[in-house]
Amino acid sequence: MLVLTSLQVFAALKIQTSATGLPVSEEVVVAGEKLFKAKCQSCHQLDRRTTGPALAGVTERREMDWLVSWIRNNNELRQSGDADAIAIYNEYNGTAMNVFADLTDDQIKSILMYTENGPVAPVVVDGGGETPVLDEGLFNKTNKILFFLSLLVFIVVVLIIKTIDIVGKLTGREVIPWNNVNAALMLIFLIVGMIAGLYELSIHSKYLLLSNASSAHGGELDNMMKITFIITGFVFFVTQICLFWFSFKYRAKKGVKALHYPHNDKLEMIWTAIPAVVLTILVLGGLKAWNNINEKPSASTAQIEVFAQQFAWQVRYPGADGALGNSSHNLISEKSNPLGIAIPWKAKEILAELEADLKYYEEAKAGLPEKLGELKSTLGGRVGKDLKNHQKLIDDIESGKEASFYDLQMRRRNTQIKRIKLSLSGEAPLYSAAGNDDIISDEIHLIKDSTITFKLRSRDVIHSALMKEFRAQMNVVPGIPTQFTFTPITTTKQRRLDLNNPEFDYHIICNKICGNSHYNMKIKIVVETKEEYDKWMADQKATFAKEEVKEEVETAEPVEAPIEEPTEHSGEVALN
């Protein structure tokens, strides 16, 4: 038996380059896989359509230059009038793909090489054969057949019962003693249900997260959960056994009259007081634990910022100064400042970007009559989806929808320009040197036994940062910064050994349904020793490092008129 990686197979076949133009190498594909998982996997899979299309074979369907432009900034490509970009946008109901202006051409091509070649997984070759792959299509068909067969059996059973009832009514005798049947079913359901429940608990109890917490405070939460499970489990078993046993024992019988027992003060006081006392103890214990866990961290506690947006996380580390720079949603730019870090020269770059956008939209609006004429002149000969998309463009222009869109974009950018200029005027308290050496990453690295505070921000909707192994969760709310402080106590390597799973990784996952790709919104957390962390940090570069960083904040001309803050219905919201 011979085991080869997929790249070794390609080499054996003498495939030297891919559609990307880069030489095929395991290193490039691995790098592409890492970027794919960090940037793309929340919305795309290789083999099936999710929020976005399946990406396997995408380099055969599209030109490489077009793919690079689309991935880097699909908004710009669409705004340029590219027919394919507009068609994809319409096909997915106006859902725009995230912009990745921070990726270089080679990084984008490495992602595309990964989509060409797939994961670098071993291929087992034995006498020319390969490892069999499950035919998911056949699997799905089998499920559908079983479902319809089960439905058919259910219908037949219902019809038989209906027939028996009709026979009983015609003969005047009960063919089946349903009262006894139902009582027996109650007893069977009790026995089978209890056995099944205990069996399920025995094989899946490891997923209850009642032990092996990877944070210092996790043990306290695990103990609370164990106490809660013991109490509620005892109540569950007692009440369920009584419920089904009484239903069996006290079923209706001929000649037996039911006892009417409407009221008992003592019994009602007992079953009201006991749950009230138990629940009070549990709630007070939880409140005490919450206060202990959320105690205000000391001033020396390290901080990182975790930034959420549909459907990805990014993390920001302080640089050598140990302090995170300020940020503002007005400074968010898809192209150059996705987290809105307050840096003067970056703010000026964003102003230039916004002014260029304004010029583009002004020219685009002025050119609508000419564009309409071109669209009408090229309408003939188009069929199917191409015709539908072409006609939609014509309808949007003639109805004024396209012009309204340009007006809205210009109002948004004018509002953002005013706000940025206002922030740069006077003493500009928003800006400081702390953000100059900040580091933005797609992975979170933490030091074992070192307390860390997560500063949480959201760009769009409510997310929830769940770190289940650390027993930590906090909502991430747009406009309301939140935070959570904890101490990781188990490294990733040790956790892998404990679980006997070399592929295990800690993650932050989103625990709020934030959109179509919510289920796959996650970021990897690596817990390591101080030495390993320092080595990783030494390889990181300040995201906004620039020679002009010492440049002083220039005083912009003051805004002549007061800025009217946009309302919910005005449409004049900040660009991002």
Side-chain angles (χ1 to χ4, degrees), residues 314-509:
Q314 284 184 293
V315 59
R316 179 164 62 110
Y317 287 85
D321 60 6
L324 289 169
N326 294 327
S327 60
S328 170
H329 69 279
N330 291 309
L331 296 172
I332 290 177
S333 165
E334 291 281 12
K335 298 177 183 177
S336 59
N337 196 4
L339 272 62
I341 313 305
I343 297 175
W345 64 266
K346 183 58 65 177
K348 293 168 188 174
E349 280 190 2
I350 296 170
L351 281 175
E353 292 173 8
L354 293 170
E355 288 165 357
D357 284 351
L358 277 177
K359 183 178 179 182
Y360 164 79
Y361 285 118
E362 288 169 356
E363 293 175 351
K365 183 180 179 181
L368 283 177
E370 182 180 351
K371 182 180 179 181
L372 179 61
E374 291 178 359
L375 289 170
K376 286 184 174 180
S377 66
T378 57
L379 187 61
R382 297 181 182 273
V383 294
K385 187 181 290 186
D386 186 31
L387 175 62
K388 183 179 179 181
N389 290 329
H390 208 73
Q391 186 61 53
K392 186 177 186 305
L393 292 174
I394 293 173
D395 294 342
D396 286 348
I397 295 174
E398 290 182 334
S399 66
K401 185 177 179 180
E402 189 81 358
S404 297
F405 170 78
Y406 292 144
D407 287 337
L408 175 61
Q409 298 305 315
M410 286 188 283
R411 286 199 304 270
R412 286 178 170 178
R413 281 156 179 79
N414 274 319
T415 299
Q416 194 171 359
I417 287 171
K418 288 179 181 179
R419 291 176 175 176
I420 294 175
K421 285 185 175 180
L422 182 63
S423 72
L424 286 168
S425 64
E427 298 179 359
L430 176 66
Y431 301 92
S432 69
N436 295 334
D437 59 354
D438 285 358
I439 298 164
I440 297 176
S441 173
D442 292 317
E443 278 188 357
I444 298 175
H445 284 245
L446 305 177
I447 303 171
K448 178 181 178 290
D449 297 326
S450 180
T451 303
I452 185 77
T453 294
F454 280 34
K455 312 287 284 187
L456 303 163
R457 278 198 301 141
S458 172
R459 173 172 171 171
D460 36 45
V461 299
I462 296 178
H463 302 275
S464 188
L466 171 63
M467 298 166 274
K468 58 181 182 178
E469 292 85 6
F470 301 106
R471 311 297 190 263
Q473 176 171 291
M474 181 60 68
N475 283 347
V476 190
V477 186
I480 305 176
T482 55
Q483 67 179 49
F484 195 92
T485 302
F486 70 97
T487 304
I489 60 173
T490 307
T491 64
T492 300
K493 291 180 181 178
Q494 184 59 51
R495 188 76 175 192
R496 288 175 176 176
L497 292 174
D498 293 343
L499 298 175
N500 193 25
N501 178 10
E503 302 298 322
F504 170 83
D505 281 310
Y506 295 115
H507 287 95
I508 290 182
I509 61 176

Side-chain angles (χ1 to χ4, degrees), residues 547-564:
E547 292 180 0
E548 297 91 329
V549 78
K550 294 182 180 179
E551 171 188 14
E552 294 182 358
V553 178
E554 294 180 6
T555 301
E557 294 182 5
V559 181
E560 295 180 359
I563 299 174
E564 181 180 349

Side-chain angles (χ1 to χ4, degrees), residues 1 30 41 120 147 228 314 334 420 511 537:
M1 180 178 290
V30 169
Q41 196 175 50
V120 184
F147 171 76
T228 303
Q314 284 184 293
E334 291 281 12
I420 294 175
N511 206 29
M537 185 58 73

